[in-house]
Amino acid sequence: MAEIPIKQIEESDIDTVLAEDIDFTGTVNFSKSLMVKGQFKGTIKATGDLFVNENASVTATIEAQTVSIKGKVKGDIYATGRVELYPTASLEGDITAPDIIMESGCQFNGICSMKSPNEVKK
């Protein structure tokens, strides 16, 4: 079976970063890219990409283009692009996306539903 590496992203390529010392509760809407490095609780509705850093913790229902997880996420994910789980990722929730990559070592507890981008709806 061929290995498909996940493209490494640099923080400088991200439009907005919620730093390690940020503890945010609420709803976030965005159209570009967002990286969470701290704590987030609530709802994420985006047409852009979401990156959850290794030490971050997110408890939310997530709608985004690409969701890339290195940290902890609790909540369902609806991605119109793909979901990427790195070896350090921990996801407790369901995934609905057309493409899912799970690297060895990640923890996932939920149900995967693979659908075309226009079928991905909350």
Side-chain angles (χ1 to χ4, degrees):
M1 178 149 91
E3 263 192 55
I4 301 171
I6 299 175
K7 179 184 169 196
Q8 296 294 326
I9 196 85
E10 297 295 324
E11 187 175 328
S12 59
D13 297 332
I14 307 295
D15 292 297
T16 304
V17 177
L18 294 178
E20 294 93 345
D21 61 341
I22 300 292
D23 189 348
F24 185 90
T25 301
T27 300
V28 172
N29 298 296
F30 57 92
S31 59
K32 293 191 179 179
S33 58
L34 171 71
M35 177 181 281
V36 178
K37 296 176 84 175
Q39 312 294 310
F40 181 91
K41 293 179 184 171
T43 304
I44 297 173
K45 292 186 177 188
T47 55
D49 299 333
L50 173 68
F51 300 90
V52 179
N53 207 41
E54 193 168 331
N55 296 317
S57 177
V58 174
T59 302
T61 299
I62 299 169
E63 296 177 33
Q65 170 68 30
T66 297
V67 180
S68 183
I69 304 171
K70 292 183 179 179
K72 294 183 179 183
V73 173
K74 288 185 181 179
D76 296 338
I77 297 174
Y78 302 88
T80 55
R82 73 180 185 183
V83 175
E84 304 169 337
L85 300 177
Y86 286 81
T88 56
S90 173
L91 172 59
E92 187 175 321
D94 297 341
I95 298 172
T96 303
D99 189 16
I100 301 166
I101 297 175
M102 295 182 190
E103 288 190 343
S104 180
C106 72
Q107 296 177 358
F108 170 62
N109 186 17
I111 297 170
C112 291
S113 180
M114 299 184 75
K115 297 184 178 184
S116 68
N118 56 353
E119 292 178 312
V120 176
K121 296 178 186 170
K122 182 179 172 205

